[in-house]
Amino acid sequence: MQHWIAITSDMLLQSLQSRELTALIKPESAAAVGEEIDDVVATIREAVANNRGNTLPADDTLIPRTLRSVAMDILRVRLSLRYGVAINESRQAAHDAALTRLAEIAKGTYLIIAPTGEIPSMPAHAPHVTAPDSTFGSSARFGWWPRPQ
């Protein structure tokens, strides 16, 4: 299984409703669809790169497989706005949730699977406590401790 994938226009077409398809199947819309895909891929990669715990592959066209639905939600709304297709509430809510998820990824709330398939783990937040070593030491007030026998 590929952990990072390239978003294609075929993936987008499979996720559209019939009223959205009629606006996007026109030959003149092919270049615009490609531009929007490139923009959304760049936005997703930027959010992933903002968290230093994530790693990106060298191929600029790949995004994490787990963010495919985020890409589709953003693409559907952007293309609907571009071609004057009405956006229903569920599409808008999915778009807003996708943007929120990208913001959380950029902040480090979520770590993304590495291109190699390695699943990242959040760093532990354990308190750092250092106790004094009571075996040997001195104190001006109490003298040497423990006292030599």
Side-chain angles (χ1 to χ4, degrees):
M1 174 175 71
Q2 292 179 332
H3 302 288
W4 285 57
I5 58 171
I7 297 298
T8 64
S9 57
D10 291 338
M11 289 179 189
L12 177 63
L13 293 176
Q14 291 173 0
S15 73
L16 296 174
Q17 296 173 347
S18 60
R19 62 186 170 82
E20 297 165 327
L21 277 172
T22 56
L24 295 177
I25 291 185
K26 299 174 186 169
E28 61 270 10
S29 67
V33 170
E35 288 175 14
E36 291 293 340
I37 288 174
D38 291 344
D39 290 347
V40 170
V41 166
T43 301
I44 291 173
R45 287 179 61 89
E46 182 179 87
V48 172
N50 277 332
N51 180 358
R52 299 208 187 274
N54 296 323
T55 56
L56 293 172
D59 187 350
D60 291 342
T61 63
L62 301 179
I63 65 168
R65 176 181 290 276
T66 56
L67 296 180
R68 178 183 6 199
S69 62
V70 168
M72 293 302 145
D73 291 338
I74 295 170
L75 280 167
R76 283 190 295 255
V77 169
R78 288 177 75 162
L79 289 168
S80 294
L81 290 173
R82 188 171 189 157
Y83 289 104
V85 178
I87 302 168
N88 60 25
E89 289 180 23
S90 65
R91 286 272 197 244
Q92 187 63 46
H95 176 263
D96 295 342
L99 293 178
T100 302
R101 175 105 188 258
L102 287 181
E104 290 173 346
I105 289 169
K107 284 191 289 187
T109 306
Y110 296 105
L111 291 179
I112 301 299
I113 191 167
T116 59
E118 182 181 336
I119 298 176
S121 60
M122 296 297 266
H125 295 288
H128 180 71
V129 178
T130 305
D133 184 9
S134 62
T135 307
F136 298 100
S138 69
S139 170
R141 188 170 169 194
F142 300 111
W144 286 93
W145 42 271
R147 295 190 188 269
Q149 304 266 340

